[in-house]
């Protein structure tokens, strides 16, 4: 495959699962109508009230967000990345923040549990410690998607470049970074970090995003975007719920890596 048409969602998830899933389905179908073969949703697609006592405790086989994504992938014959949802197992008190890649048959082809858990203290409006509510994952995960390898990550992982270098060395040409960046950190860091990861690894960066106010003191920055292997932003969402659709030229990865073979020049230090 030399190109893939991709849809990248920007949502405003809250504690209302039904409303979240309705918005998810609407935006996925908008992307499919514009020819998307692969659709990516943001972090916390089905629920964004982490740590609240009423947070649903779903296992993977019970989760309505997982079921809806599986159904949408199969109905439209697309690849679909559920940016993340909280999943419990039978033994742990805390869930994982998990990203799932669905194939065109609706089956789960890969699962990644968020490795790096977000902690920030910038005052009462931007103070959060994900580790008090979520259990960290244990390993990187990449997967083959229609003849192209994709590396999976979630939000705060973006600040740890060694994860993406691992994916580049594993042959990934697409880096997936679904997120719910806070408004304050996103304003200054989101685009800079996404472009850096694309430039460093000479790969496409696909960054779906949460946007807007989610209840309580949670507000996300948004600006879902696609960044090419040279670090150029080729598509970006504005304010509001919606989606962007664009063609990814996978040959662009090979061209950039040949013309500026920085990955080959790396020395162990």
């Amino acid at each position: 495959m030399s190109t893939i048409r991709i849809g990248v969602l920007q949502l405003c998830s809250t504690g209302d699962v039904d409303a979240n899933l309705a918005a998810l389905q609407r935006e996925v179908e908008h992307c499919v109508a514009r020819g998307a073969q692969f659709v990516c949703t943001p972090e916390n697609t089905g629920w964004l009230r982490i740590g609240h006592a009423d947070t649903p405790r779903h296992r993977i086989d019970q989760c309505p967000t997982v079921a809806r994504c599986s159904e949408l992938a199969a109905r439209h014959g697309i690849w679909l990345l559920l940016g993340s949802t909280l999943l419990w197992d039978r033994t742990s008190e805390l869930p994982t923040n998990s990203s799932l890649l669905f194939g065109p048959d609706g089956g789960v082809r890969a699962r990644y549990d968020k490795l790096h858990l977000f902690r920030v203290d910038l005052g009462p409006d931007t103070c959060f410690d994900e580790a008090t509510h979520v259990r960290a994952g244990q390993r990187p995960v990449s997967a083959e998607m229609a003849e192209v390898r994709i590396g999976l990550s979630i939000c705060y992982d973006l600040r740890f470049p060694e994860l993406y270098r691992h994916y580049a060395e594993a042959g990934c040409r697409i880096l997936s970074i679904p997120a719910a960046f806070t408004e304050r950190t996103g304003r200054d860091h989101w685009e800079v970090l996404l472009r850096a990861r694309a430039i460093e690894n000479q790969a496409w960066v696909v960054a779906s995003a949460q946007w807007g106010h989610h209840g309580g003191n949670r507000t996300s920055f948004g600006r879902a975007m696609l960044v090419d292997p040279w670090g150029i932003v080729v598509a970006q969402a504005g304010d509001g719920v919606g989606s962007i659709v664009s063609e990814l030229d996978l040959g662009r990865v090979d061209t950039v890596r040949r013309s500026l073979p920085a990955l080959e020049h790396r020395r162990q230090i």
Side-chain angles (χ1 to χ4, degrees):
M1 176 174 41
S2 60
T3 64
I4 186 168
R5 193 159 179 80
I6 185 168
V8 183
L9 269 56
Q10 183 163 285
L11 301 177
C12 183
S13 298
T14 65
D16 185 337
V17 174
D18 290 340
N20 296 340
L21 295 185
L24 164 69
Q25 180 165 331
R26 181 178 64 249
E27 294 306 326
V28 168
E29 291 175 347
H30 286 170
C31 291
V32 170
R34 288 179 281 168
Q37 303 159 281
F38 175 35
V39 177
C40 301
T41 86
E43 183 182 26
N44 299 322
T45 288
W47 179 268
L48 213 166
R49 292 181 70 188
I50 295 174
H52 284 242
D54 57 349
T55 300
R57 295 172 62 94
H58 293 133
R59 297 197 303 269
I60 190 169
D61 58 344
Q62 303 169 322
C63 179
T65 306
V66 171
R68 183 66 59 87
C69 287
S70 173
E71 187 271 329
L72 287 169
R75 184 198 309 175
H76 298 293
I78 59 171
W79 290 85
L80 192 153
L81 182 83
L82 168 56
S84 88
T85 193
L86 298 180
L87 295 177
W88 272 260
D89 62 25
R90 291 180 172 84
T91 59
S92 176
E93 184 61 26
L94 294 178
T96 53
N97 190 355
S98 301
S99 185
L100 301 173
L101 178 65
F102 296 87
D105 61 355
V108 175
R109 302 295 181 87
R111 171 178 171 171
Y112 167 78
D113 298 333
K114 189 176 184 181
L115 281 170
H116 302 97
L117 301 184
F118 181 51
R119 181 180 178 184
V120 66
D121 187 356
L122 300 175
D125 293 333
T126 313
C127 182
F128 185 70
D129 185 358
E130 191 175 14
T132 63
H133 310 296
V134 173
R135 178 166 48 97
Q138 299 300 312
R139 61 188 180 88
V141 175
S142 62
E144 287 292 327
M145 182 190 69
E147 303 175 11
V148 59
R149 182 158 287 275
I150 180 171
L152 305 185
S153 67
I154 300 171
C155 199
Y156 192 52
D157 287 328
L158 176 58
R159 295 183 180 272
F160 301 88
E162 61 272 17
L163 174 62
Y164 302 96
R165 182 51 50 90
H166 168 87
Y167 286 143
E169 291 177 345
C172 294
R173 291 194 284 171
I174 298 175
L175 305 173
S176 168
I177 311 176
F181 250 60
T182 67
E183 194 282 330
R184 187 168 173 187
T185 58
R187 184 176 60 239
D188 296 327
H189 297 166
W190 172 242
E191 181 176 330
V192 174
L193 289 168
L194 290 173
R195 295 182 67 193
R197 297 299 87 86
I199 292 166
E200 291 165 349
N201 299 291
Q202 301 177 317
W204 282 96
V205 164
V206 178
S208 46
Q210 291 283 352
W211 168 87
H213 185 61
H214 309 289
N217 64 353
R218 290 294 299 273
T219 301
S220 294
F221 178 67
R223 299 296 190 274
M225 69 178 73
L226 287 166
V227 186
D228 86 349
W230 193 254
I232 296 170
V233 177
V234 298
Q236 182 180 91
D239 291 339
V241 171
S243 56
I244 53 177
V245 176
S246 187
E247 199 90 10
L248 266 64
D249 177 0
L250 299 172
R252 176 79 170 142
V253 176
D254 303 322
T255 299
V256 169
R257 290 180 178 179
R258 278 196 308 268
S259 61
L260 179 58
L263 294 175
E264 297 176 18
H265 297 160
R266 181 170 176 248
R267 299 178 65 182
Q268 295 297 327
I269 297 173

